[in-house]
Amino acid sequence: MALSSTLNLIKHLLILFLLHIPSHNSSYLEYADALSKSILFFEGQRSGYLPNDQRIVWRSNSGLGDGWEVSADLTGGYYDAGDNVKFNFPMAFTTTMLAWSVIEFGDSMPAGELRNALVAVRWATDYLLKTVSQLPNRIFVQVGDPIKDHNCWERPEDMDTARTVYTVEAPNTVSDVAGETAAALAASSIAFRSSDPAYSETLLRTAVKAFEFADTYRGAYSDNSDIRDGDELLWGAAWLRRASQDDSYLNYIQNNGKTLGADDNINEFGWDNKHAGLNVLVSKEVLEGNMYSLQSYKASADSFMCTLTPDSDSSHIEYTPGGLIYRPGGSNLQHATTISFLLLVYANYLQRSSQSVSCGSISVGPTKLRQMAKRQVDYILGENPKGMSYMVGYSNYYPQRIHHRGSSLPSIEDHPQMIACKEGSVYFNSSDPNPNVLVGAIVGGPGEDDAYDDNRVDFRKSEPTTYINAPFVGVLAYFVANPNPS
């Protein structure tokens, strides 16, 4: 009887405690749920042999012969979007952003989610190590013929399109892909430093080789006629500097900025343009390390923050009526997630150095930057004119017809027979919801008028990508620990 009375008292006190939890704890639970799902998404994008602890169970093994035509093992890695091609350039950027999320905000992640985030990073880095395993003479940059792949609508498990391996042999140029790969491996080496020192050292050592290839044969893979991808060279050098603390990379950033176009397009950041991210990353050396020789990078980072601030004299970023950062071209939420990430990282650097940004007639401090980021996050998670979460599986109202082959076609378990290239068209054109929920996927998002039609055919709005999710992992981790920044 005494034990029963004690248990009832504990139960009563627990109910009272839960009823009186401050409202911000509900925000904690929401951000924590979104964080967990944002990481889980990457398991739905996996290529290769899936492990026994695979949590998105409607996916199965795929791409098991990748690399055979060049006598190399190129299995693994991620499909970067709703198709079945492995594009190493955006995959490497995804990896860099996942690793940066862990570096800056890993301390804010629950232990289990930090572990899951590192698993997501390693699924990418294990593959990227394979792509640069034949340096210094050759680098693999892509697996899968995009034209043939995009002409089919089939599950990755059923792929019968050409798994062409795209390679670059020295002295042909590939500074963009190799530079981003160097950045990804260097950033990941920091992320793994405490949990797996030996793997961390392998990543850093390989990053050095990838950067040497990128710098020796300067020029873009996508356009070998000129050197217009210097941002990846500076980005790779900046990450190698942070990972190794080697002064040679510091000198590289100082001495090559003007030559490699550090002042170009400073208000852009994404898988194909690193300028704004580069400036924020390098500003840490100025703000926290007093490296005033890099002041020009900090000036560009400050300028970028001012352009984002609506009441700043130099504001020129477009917002939708509902408050979402908007840039034309489709897949708009990639801008909202990457910019939110940079806002939070820069806010941390400013706070640790007790500084703010002068934007003409106003001064912008860390709190303002964090509030701006929170507005973007909350919009994505449902505080928008449609009341829709643009993260699949989060809340009760989210996109049901995303542009994604594996999600929209019946699973192997439900439909063991192969669904050939053109046989999938009936599912593509169907108005039915996708049978498989790709939990955590963030779609391209609404247009400039906040409109979203949940249409599988409209890939610019309905297709998820790894490089939308990757920075959002870090952003959500911050808000798990700080749901109401002040």
Side-chain angles (χ1 to χ4, degrees), residues 263-285:
D263 297 330
D264 299 343
N265 303 312
I266 63 171
N267 297 326
E268 299 285 337
F269 187 49
W271 66 266
D272 59 348
N273 190 318
K274 308 306 180 316
H275 284 96
L278 167 69
N279 293 326
V280 168
L281 177 64
V282 175
S283 291
K284 179 179 172 66
E285 297 262 12

Side-chain angles (χ1 to χ4, degrees), residues 237-419:
W239 275 111
L240 280 163
R241 161 65 180 174
R242 182 153 175 183
S244 68
Q245 291 299 299
D246 189 325
D247 284 345
S248 67
Y249 297 110
L250 175 65
N251 295 333
Y252 186 97
I253 300 165
Q254 290 173 339
N255 299 332
N256 289 278
K258 190 172 292 295
T259 303
L260 295 175
D263 297 330
D264 299 343
N265 303 312
I266 63 171
N267 297 326
E268 299 285 337
F269 187 49
W271 66 266
D272 59 348
N273 190 318
K274 308 306 180 316
H275 284 96
L278 167 69
N279 293 326
V280 168
L281 177 64
V282 175
S283 291
K284 179 179 172 66
E285 297 262 12
V286 183
L287 290 165
E288 299 181 17
N290 298 320
M291 291 287 182
Y292 296 114
S293 58
L294 300 171
Q295 180 65 34
S296 63
Y297 290 91
K298 179 185 176 298
S300 292
D302 285 351
S303 175
F304 179 58
M305 298 300 151
C306 293
T307 67
L308 298 172
T309 306
D311 47 352
S312 164
D313 296 339
S314 54
S315 173
H316 66 253
I317 295 293
E318 184 178 350
Y319 289 84
T320 68
L324 179 69
I325 289 172
Y326 178 77
R327 292 216 167 134
S331 193
N332 182 60
L333 289 185
Q334 67 178 306
H335 304 300
T337 62
T338 53
I339 289 173
S340 295
F341 183 91
L342 294 183
L343 285 166
L344 294 178
V345 171
Y346 206 57
N348 281 355
Y349 295 168
L350 290 171
Q351 181 167 324
R352 288 199 289 263
S353 57
S354 301
Q355 295 193 40
S356 60
V357 178
S358 176
C359 297
S361 59
I362 65 169
S363 179
V364 177
T367 298
K368 176 65 173 177
L369 299 182
R370 289 165 178 152
Q371 290 170 344
M372 290 163 58
K374 187 177 189 299
R375 179 70 196 95
Q376 300 305 302
V377 174
D378 291 349
Y379 184 108
I380 292 171
L381 296 181
E383 288 189 8
N384 56 63
K386 288 188 68 70
M388 171 182 276
S389 163
Y390 291 107
M391 174 184 285
V392 174
Y394 180 86
S395 85
N396 296 319
Y397 183 40
Y398 54 82
Q400 303 285 324
R401 300 164 187 82
I402 66 172
H403 184 96
H404 189 278
R405 285 158 175 78
S407 173
S408 67
L409 292 156
S411 68
I412 295 290
E413 182 177 351
D414 292 338
H415 192 292
Q417 299 80 18
M418 178 177 176
I419 301 174

Side-chain angles (χ1 to χ4, degrees), residues 115-191:
R115 182 171 60 251
N116 290 334
L118 286 171
V119 168
V121 175
R122 185 155 187 163
W123 194 270
T125 51
D126 282 351
Y127 169 78
L128 292 176
L129 287 171
K130 296 176 182 180
T131 69
V132 292
S133 62
Q134 296 187 18
L135 290 176
N137 300 314
R138 171 193 266 188
I139 181 174
F140 302 110
V141 298
Q142 181 178 313
V143 180
D145 185 319
I147 296 176
K148 293 179 179 177
D149 180 270
H150 292 173
N151 195 41
C152 292
W153 196 259
E154 58 184 352
R155 301 175 294 201
E157 295 82 3
D158 288 335
M159 276 189 296
D160 55 0
T161 52
R163 300 301 287 169
T164 306
V165 177
Y166 294 76
T167 65
V168 175
E169 307 270 359
N172 293 305
T173 61
V174 66
S175 293
D176 43 6
V177 184
E180 184 60 63
T181 302
L185 297 176
S188 299
S189 77
I190 304 172

